[in-house]
Amino acid sequence: MRQTLFAPLTIAGISHHTASVPEIEEFRFTDEDVFLTEAREWFKGVALLQTCNRVEVIVHGEPDILAEFLKSRGRSRFRLYQDQEALSHLLELAAGIDSLIIGEDQILGQLRRTLTKSEELGVASPILTLCINKAIHTGSEVRRRTGINNGAISVGSAAVLLAEEQLHTLEGKRILILGSGEMGVLVTQALAAKQLSAIYVANRTLDRARVLAHKIDGTAVPMDDLYRYLALSDVVICCTAAPHPVIRANDVREAMKGRTWPLDGVVKPVIIVDIAQPRDVEEEVGKIDGVCLFTIDDLRQVNDATSQLRREAATHARLFLEEELDQFIKLYNRRAADETLATLHTWAETVRVRERDRAFARLQGYDDHAHEIVEDLTRALTRKLLADVTMSIRFCAERGEIALAEELVSAITRGEGLCSRK
């Protein structure tokens, strides 16, 4: 039986396992800065992980308070992970075991950015920083030990495979990539070996589109010409970070008129794969004649066809994570004990300063050197007197003995006796 955590940690999550793309999109927080700033008033620390197929709210706080906070923000469909289960979930996230594409590496970068965002806003507690950094380190180690990411595909490359499966080949095809961020880069990497006729890159910032297009010998196109190039393309892969749909049904209907064979009136089909979150493409687009619209939900079949070896590696990864969890709990509890130790050391510093000042008052007429000696002496005595009890409290924390650690502090700072223990 594992030890109790010395401080509460809770994760509220929604992911591709239990929710559809629209449900994840509805749960998403469009203004992360505002969300994190508001959440910091409720919790000692908070972080927000949002990817194309999950939203995870990680807090240094209690589960009932997190549930109340999320419900006050209109969110009700989520799963809560508490304490040890939260630590385990965080490790599985970082290891890629819980990802849509088993073993994918993107999650490590996403966790780093999540922590950086919280630290920049000043909402990351030491406990939260420890947890995310530990998860990232463990996720990297899992990949090194098990090879779970060998042959793994990213969401971007899965989108390319899906398009290739629909057309049987991408050779000689024209591809339009909408978005030049991290996901856009992954898509272009997956297209590098394909014998394409043309690659177009559209982005809100044309200069960024040019940078990505240059890497792949493609063509950067302005967003104003988006529908013109959509009509020229066989496949459109959408992966912007826009907070609203970029491709709209009415404009697509108009663009599709340019894909109609003049003699028989048959519309030449176009495949649109929307891997953005929130979605780039209005749902109504999928009902337009000649348009085959796919979303994140459709990528599961690509993963199922390519992940058997990674599933086997995931079994070995879980065994490693199970061992690592015990060390994680000890590390977590040692750090969590810092708050209790802070109470002890604050009390000790108050006593030290009081007695030092009394000594200074009796040393009238002595020089500054004598005052420095008294200062150094009182600091040294305080450190030595607290050394053993500090170690004892840390040991209590490692074992999850919260009550005993608090009793030790109370016995010293308030003269309260320890409870009798069998």
Side-chain angles (χ1 to χ4, degrees):
M1 183 176 178
R2 289 199 166 93
Q3 305 298 335
T4 304
L5 291 194
F6 205 78
L9 182 78
T10 309
I11 300 176
I14 182 172
S15 73
H16 59 94
H17 291 299
T18 58
S20 64
V21 170
E23 289 169 335
I24 295 174
E25 188 172 332
E26 185 178 356
F27 193 91
R28 186 173 300 277
F29 298 94
T30 54
D31 194 326
E32 293 189 4
D33 289 9
V34 169
F35 172 81
L36 289 168
T37 302
E38 291 178 348
R40 184 61 178 86
E41 297 177 3
W42 290 60
F43 308 101
K44 294 179 180 179
V46 58
L48 177 62
L49 172 67
Q50 297 196 118
T51 74
C52 57
N53 50 55
R54 70 171 63 251
V55 178
E56 307 274 354
V57 182
I58 310 165
V59 303
H60 178 184
E62 299 287 353
D64 54 342
I65 299 177
L66 178 54
E68 180 185 351
F69 173 73
L70 290 176
K71 287 175 182 177
S72 72
R73 267 64 183 172
R75 306 313 195 269
S76 59
R77 194 176 185 276
F78 52 84
R79 176 178 175 182
L80 286 173
Y81 302 86
Q82 179 181 0
D83 295 339
Q84 292 177 25
E85 187 183 19
L87 295 182
S88 180
H89 179 62
L90 198 54
L91 291 181
E92 291 190 355
L93 271 180
I97 292 175
D98 201 61
S99 298
L100 174 64
I101 308 297
I102 296 173
E104 54 91 8
D105 294 328
Q106 278 179 275
I107 187 64
L108 294 177
Q110 290 162 341
L111 281 168
R112 288 189 185 96
R113 286 190 294 277
T114 292
L115 178 57
T116 298
K117 168 73 76 173
S118 291
E119 290 177 334
E120 287 175 347
L121 291 174
V123 301
S125 68
I127 279 289
L128 218 56
T129 299
L130 168 77
C131 287
I132 296 178
N133 279 330
K134 172 62 177 175
I136 292 169
H137 173 77
T138 303
S140 299
E141 185 66 12
V142 163
R143 287 164 175 79
R144 188 187 70 81
R145 287 173 176 251
T146 68
I148 192 174
N149 58 335
N150 290 346
I153 55 177
S154 65
V155 171
S157 57
V160 173
L161 287 174
L162 178 60
E164 190 170 34
E165 183 181 273
Q166 297 300 312
L167 295 174
H168 304 294
T169 180
L170 293 180
E171 185 176 349
K173 305 300 183 184
R174 291 182 174 86
I175 310 289
L176 170 61
I177 302 169
L178 184 57
S180 60
E182 179 186 6
M183 197 69 75
V185 172
L186 292 171
V187 170
T188 57
Q189 289 173 345
L191 290 169
K194 312 298 180 183
Q195 301 299 314
L196 302 174
S197 174
I199 302 179
Y200 309 117
V201 180
N203 191 67
R204 182 175 56 84
T205 305
L206 185 57
D207 286 342
R208 292 190 62 182
R210 287 192 179 112
V211 170
L212 183 55
H214 177 72
K215 293 179 180 179
I216 56 173
D217 292 327
T219 302
V221 300
M223 288 295 285
D224 290 344
D225 289 337
L226 170 62
Y227 294 101
R228 174 188 166 206
Y229 284 93
L230 183 148
L232 292 173
S233 302
D234 301 291
V235 177
V236 180
I237 299 180
C238 308
C239 49
T240 78
H244 50 71
V246 178
I247 295 182
R248 303 188 180 280
N250 289 337
D251 294 313
V252 173
R253 287 192 186 93
E254 190 65 28
M256 291 302 289
K257 293 177 181 178
R259 295 184 62 82
T260 302
W261 297 105
L263 297 180
D264 55 17
V266 176
V267 177
K268 185 180 180 182
V270 61
I271 293 171
I272 300 178
V273 185
D274 186 2
I275 55 176
Q277 194 62 259
R279 288 177 294 182
D280 277 338
V281 184
E282 287 184 339
E283 190 173 352
E284 189 69 20
V285 170
K287 301 176 183 178
I288 297 173
D289 187 28
V291 176
C292 300
L293 177 61
F294 299 94
T295 67
I296 288 289
D297 287 337
D298 299 299
L299 297 186
R300 289 189 177 92
Q301 63 190 31
V302 177
N303 185 47
D304 289 343
T306 60
S307 64
Q308 182 56 41
L309 291 177
R310 280 176 278 124
R311 283 199 186 94
E312 294 174 2
T315 300
H316 297 295
R318 284 190 174 90
L319 294 175
F320 172 70
L321 294 182
E322 185 67 20
E323 296 173 359
E324 197 68 14
L325 182 58
D326 289 328
Q327 296 302 317
F328 195 0
I329 291 172
K330 289 182 180 179
L331 187 65
Y332 180 97
N333 280 341
R334 282 181 67 87
R335 180 60 57 83
D338 288 347
E339 190 170 322
T340 298
L341 286 171
T343 301
L344 174 63
H345 285 262
T346 298
W347 169 83
E349 178 65 6
T350 301
V351 173
R352 183 193 75 81
V353 170
R354 184 181 66 230
E355 297 306 318
R356 177 206 64 188
D357 291 346
R358 286 178 178 174
F360 283 165
R362 297 171 61 187
L363 288 173
Q364 292 179 2
Y366 286 84
D367 58 16
D368 290 342
H369 181 61
H371 282 69
E372 289 177 7
I373 292 175
V374 172
E375 178 74 21
D376 291 343
L377 175 64
T378 57
R379 287 186 183 279
L381 284 172
T382 302
R383 282 197 304 271
K384 291 184 180 298
L385 289 171
L386 292 181
D388 288 341
V389 71
T390 295
M391 186 175 297
S392 295
I393 289 171
R394 290 199 183 280
F395 284 153
C396 288
E398 283 188 9
R399 296 191 298 268
E401 296 175 344
I402 301 171
L404 179 56
E406 291 175 344
E407 285 175 16
L408 282 171
V409 173
S410 294
I412 297 170
T413 60
R414 295 198 293 268
E416 296 178 4
L418 289 175
C419 296
S420 60
R421 294 177 176 271
K422 295 181 180 181

